[in-house]
Amino acid sequence: MGNENVLDDVFDNFVNRVNLFKDREVLRHDYIPDKLPHRENQIRLLGERVAPVLKDARCSNIFIYGKTGTGKTAVTKYVLSHLEAKAKQYGAQVKFCYVNCHVTGSVYRVFAHLSQSVGMSIPFTGLSVEEVFDRFRVSLDTSRVLFIIVLDEIDALIKEKGDAFMYELTRINETLVKSKVSIIGISNDLRLKEFLDPRVFSSLSEEELVFRPYDASELRNILLERSKLSFQEGTLTDSALSICSALAAAEHGDARRALDLLRVAGEVAERQEAKSITEVHVQQAEKHIEHDRVVDALNNLTLHSKLVLLSVYHLNKSSATTGEIYDVYNELCGEFGVGILTQRRLGSLVTELDAMGLVNAKVVSKGRYGRTKKIRLEISRTLVRDVFDADGRFNRIMDYKVCASKKSVLNNKSS
DNA sequence: TGTCCACTGGAACGTACGGCTT
DNA sequence: AAGCCGTACGTTCCAGTGGACA
């Protein structure tokens, strides 16, 4: 019953407190505003490129480059939804399908998604990729449309699964009779060209568009526009706005990050029942976002990745080698009562942890004493402790004392 | 100058699983 | 039910390597 009272207070406070937000949805990154400041040029260019579909002609394939949070996705969705509306007006059969390749995860699922958008439902497993592609092709052709496929974060999929599927896709028009396809590829990586078959590349980038990062003053304008819609008037201080844009500008002009910061700063301020959002709230928001990201990443690790991370934690050195970590990992597995993975596999897991920013792993050569990775924890020890303490399974090994194996002792001497 | 360490990291393959088609 | 599929996760094999040391 104590719990009930607490919750009652929480809810009452929430409802009665001063409201800083007018509409917090506006600050989410999937929100597409009516106005995209500093992207007028790109909007116009992309508009010109896709306009031919209004006259029943296929538009060129387009390749869009730019780092995260430079407005590629927003501009593309903005232009294409306007195009669709305009097409209705002119009676042109135009349709577009947006797929985020990174989120979707595999070639199979990308084709399944495309199929669904032309009214063909596909089971989530069981078919071959060729079969799914074929079904997509057939149902697309029967639907008689000018179909624009937007493949966002296409670099992620190509790097992981190769570009064979892109070859199929770029040649699809040769087998279509009643429909036509144009492809818009969006990549965060400017070097994607290196990973692509030249035939695919030339076909895909009939046109190219590059999105430069926003600078601090541009980010400031973007935030200002959005804040007018999202916050009550006079609740956002100038200094908060400036620091948000400065922080995001320092991180390659990422508008998405700037919007996140602003939204979380608003939430922090509201929780503290402040009357306005200040610089301090933004700084707290930054810590908050990072904290949440790490906790989330830690909780979602697989058991063995957790054990590897705990090995780094237990070794508690400024930099440990792969071999040392493997020894500790073996001990922990024994203590935990699970089978051990090979050192090769552990190497891959360390690489993954590095990519997530949970550890820092650098390949170094120690000359006569071989080549290895130097690995250290990249997050605070207390945070690791907190997260794993919350999971009862790890109680026994959280206070485990590492026995230094002979091998590790030898390594220590040499380094 | 060549040797040799302690790995790295690519590639091919194996296994378990859920789920399809026929 | 048989045969095939994609996905996730793992193993096995092995060529390659930066640089301290003899």
Side-chain angles (χ1 to χ4, degrees), chain A residues 27 29 69 214 219-220 222-223 240-241 243-249 251 253-265 282 289:
Chain A
L27 294 178
H29 22 77
Y214 298 110
L219 284 169
R220 200 172 193 286
I222 293 170
L223 292 183
L241 194 65
I243 193 166
C244 264
S245 30
L247 285 172
E251 261 182 60
D254 186 346
R256 194 179 299 182
R257 171 146 177 79
L259 291 167
D260 273 342
L261 265 174
L262 199 58
R263 178 175 50 82
V264 177
V282 178
I289 290 172

Side-chain angles (χ1 to χ4, degrees), chain A residues 107 111 129-131 133-134 136-137 149 151 162-176 181 183 197 199-200 203:
Chain A
V107 176
F111 285 154
V129 172
E130 290 74 31
E131 175 66 23
F133 181 70
D134 226 46
F136 163 62
R137 205 171 43 74
I149 299 174
L151 299 173
D163 62 354
F165 76 101
M166 285 308 299
Y167 185 66
E168 293 293 318
L169 211 49
T170 50
R171 293 184 41 185
I172 192 170
N173 282 312
E174 295 169 17
T175 54
L176 292 176
V181 168
I183 303 166
D197 184 321
R199 287 172 301 177
V200 173
S203 147

Side-chain angles (χ1 to χ4, degrees), chain A residues 99 104 106-141 147 149 165 168-169 172 175-176:
Chain A
V99 190
T104 306
S106 72
V107 176
Y108 182 96
R109 291 202 278 260
V110 167
F111 285 154
H113 191 100
L114 291 175
S115 302
Q116 262 137 29
S117 78
V118 288
M120 159 71 64
S121 86
I122 298 287
F124 73 86
T125 177
L127 305 179
S128 69
V129 172
E130 290 74 31
E131 175 66 23
V132 178
F133 181 70
D134 226 46
R135 291 189 190 187
F136 163 62
R137 205 171 43 74
V138 169
S139 47
L140 173 64
D141 212 19
F147 196 57
I149 299 174
F165 76 101
E168 293 293 318
L169 211 49
I172 192 170
T175 54
L176 292 176

Side-chain angles (χ1 to χ4, degrees), chain A residues 301-302 305 345 347-359:
Chain A
L301 293 177
T302 58
S305 290
R345 182 72 188 130
S348 305
L349 295 182
V350 167
T351 307
E352 282 171 24
L353 292 175
D354 179 42
M356 284 188 252
L358 299 179
V359 303

Side-chain angles (χ1 to χ4, degrees), chain A residues 122-410:
Chain A
I122 298 287
F124 73 86
T125 177
L127 305 179
S128 69
V129 172
E130 290 74 31
E131 175 66 23
V132 178
F133 181 70
D134 226 46
R135 291 189 190 187
F136 163 62
R137 205 171 43 74
V138 169
S139 47
L140 173 64
D141 212 19
T142 50
S143 59
R144 295 168 181 271
V145 285
L146 282 162
F147 196 57
I148 301 178
I149 299 174
V150 183
L151 299 173
D152 201 353
E153 297 195 53
I154 195 174
D155 46 324
L157 195 57
I158 286 174
K159 277 185 213 160
E160 207 177 319
K161 317 274 179 183
D163 62 354
F165 76 101
M166 285 308 299
Y167 185 66
E168 293 293 318
L169 211 49
T170 50
R171 293 184 41 185
I172 192 170
N173 282 312
E174 295 169 17
T175 54
L176 292 176
V177 183
K178 300 165 200 150
S179 292
K180 287 176 193 139
V181 168
S182 300
I183 303 166
I184 299 180
I186 304 179
S187 168
N188 295 325
D189 189 345
L190 289 108
R191 301 167 303 129
L192 184 66
K193 194 177 180 172
E194 297 164 22
F195 299 91
L196 277 175
D197 184 321
R199 287 172 301 177
V200 173
F201 182 77
S202 67
S203 147
L204 203 54
S205 33
E206 292 169 337
E207 306 272 0
E208 281 185 22
L209 229 57
V210 178
F211 283 56
R212 305 246 160 268
Y214 298 110
D215 63 30
S217 81
E218 289 172 335
L219 284 169
R220 200 172 193 286
N221 284 335
I222 293 170
L223 292 183
L224 191 63
E225 288 292 325
R226 294 281 186 107
S227 64
K228 282 181 197 160
L229 300 169
S230 58
F231 293 116
Q232 303 290 352
E233 208 172 319
T235 54
L236 177 66
T237 63
D238 237 30
S239 60
L241 194 65
S242 296
I243 193 166
C244 264
S245 30
L247 285 172
E251 261 182 60
H252 62 259
D254 186 346
R256 194 179 299 182
R257 171 146 177 79
L259 291 167
D260 273 342
L261 265 174
L262 199 58
R263 178 175 50 82
V264 177
E267 286 166 357
V268 168
E270 228 178 36
R271 240 175 284 137
Q272 296 174 2
E273 301 186 32
K275 292 200 174 62
S276 63
I277 304 156
T278 66
E279 213 173 313
V280 179
H281 296 130
V282 178
Q283 280 155 355
Q284 288 172 353
E286 200 187 17
K287 288 199 186 119
H288 197 89
I289 290 172
E290 176 60 10
H291 179 271
D292 281 3
R293 184 190 72 81
V294 172
V295 169
D296 215 48
L298 286 176
N299 279 321
N300 287 318
L301 293 177
T302 58
L303 174 62
H304 283 285
S305 290
K306 284 179 178 166
L307 289 171
V308 173
L309 192 93
L310 281 177
S311 306
V312 184
Y313 171 85
H314 278 314
L315 253 176
N316 195 11
K317 293 171 76 179
S318 56
S319 74
T321 64
T322 304
E324 288 170 318
I325 287 176
Y326 192 60
D327 290 341
V328 177
Y329 164 79
N330 273 294
E331 290 177 30
L332 291 185
C333 282
E335 200 66 23
F336 204 78
V338 293
I340 50 169
L341 303 179
T342 56
Q343 184 162 334
R344 172 73 188 87
R345 182 72 188 130
L346 180 129
S348 305
L349 295 182
V350 167
T351 307
E352 282 171 24
L353 292 175
D354 179 42
M356 284 188 252
L358 299 179
V359 303
N360 179 295
K362 217 171 93 191
V363 180
V364 290
S365 173
K366 297 193 288 173
R368 249 212 100 82
Y369 303 100
R371 211 163 159 259
T372 182
K373 272 184 182 139
K374 281 201 163 185
I375 302 151
R376 67 181 150 80
L377 209 56
E378 192 70 347
I379 53 179
S380 89
R381 292 179 59 78
T382 36
L383 192 53
V384 176
R385 179 105 225 169
D386 288 349
V387 171
F388 286 104
D389 274 345
D391 186 338
R393 292 181 303 164
F394 294 98
N395 280 346
R396 198 150 33 93
I397 57 171
M398 283 317 289
D399 291 313
Y400 183 72
K401 288 276 172 292
V402 173
C403 337
S405 73
K406 287 173 209 157
K407 210 168 146 199
S408 311
V409 172
L410 274 175

Side-chain angles (χ1 to χ4, degrees), chain A residues 5-76:
Chain A
N5 288 338
V6 171
L7 211 51
D8 238 31
D9 281 354
V10 170
F11 291 155
D12 286 343
N13 278 341
F14 185 85
V15 175
N16 296 328
R17 97 173 44 133
V18 188
N19 222 346
L20 296 176
F21 283 103
K22 214 185 316 180
D23 180 2
R24 65 184 77 205
E25 290 307 306
V26 173
L27 294 178
R28 302 214 170 265
H29 22 77
D30 47 2
Y31 176 84
I32 311 269
D34 296 331
K35 224 165 113 190
L36 290 163
H38 307 290
R39 284 297 176 244
E40 295 79 6
N41 204 24
Q42 280 80 1
I43 291 174
R44 193 174 44 77
L45 281 170
L46 186 59
E48 285 169 3
R49 303 288 187 272
V50 296
V53 298
L54 293 172
K55 286 190 173 174
D56 279 332
R58 191 189 82 90
C59 67
S60 301
N61 292 335
I62 303 164
F63 216 95
I64 300 177
Y65 293 103
K67 295 197 171 164
T68 39
T70 50
K72 305 180 297 295
T73 308
V75 165
T76 308

